[in-house]
Amino acid sequence: SELVLLKCTSNYPARPLDANIRTIPHLAELFNCPAGLSDHTEGIGVAVASVALGASVIEKHFVSNRSEGGVDAEFSLEPFELKMLV
């Protein structure tokens, strides 16, 4: 199996400006492996942009209903958002 390095900004939620996804191609080259994104931003914009920069894997938190709360519900995707991302 092939390893994938995930770029992650650990703020919960992370601001899009702080995601610094421009490092994804550099990480892939530096570590000679596919790179992706562990995304803690709200919405799907940063994840979509990371694919344009070469991300091969996207990890997003998921909840069936954000209004039910939870530690990461604020930036988790609901089903319709996950469908848009895919």
Side-chain angles (χ1 to χ4, degrees), residues 34-54:
L37 177 67
S38 175
D39 188 13
H40 298 148
T41 63
E42 295 177 16
I44 64 171
V46 171
V48 170
S50 72
V51 172
L53 292 169

Side-chain angles (χ1 to χ4, degrees), residues 17-71:
L17 181 65
D18 295 333
N20 197 19
I21 60 174
R22 288 178 283 166
T23 61
I24 290 172
H26 175 71
L27 291 171
E29 183 179 337
L30 183 65
F31 292 96
N32 193 32
C33 69
L37 177 67
S38 175
D39 188 13
H40 298 148
T41 63
E42 295 177 16
I44 64 171
V46 171
V48 170
S50 72
V51 172
L53 292 169
S56 60
V57 171
I58 304 296
E59 179 268 331
K60 287 288 286 184
H61 294 230
F62 178 81
V63 292
S64 58
N65 186 335
R66 192 176 296 115
S67 67
E68 293 177 5
V71 176

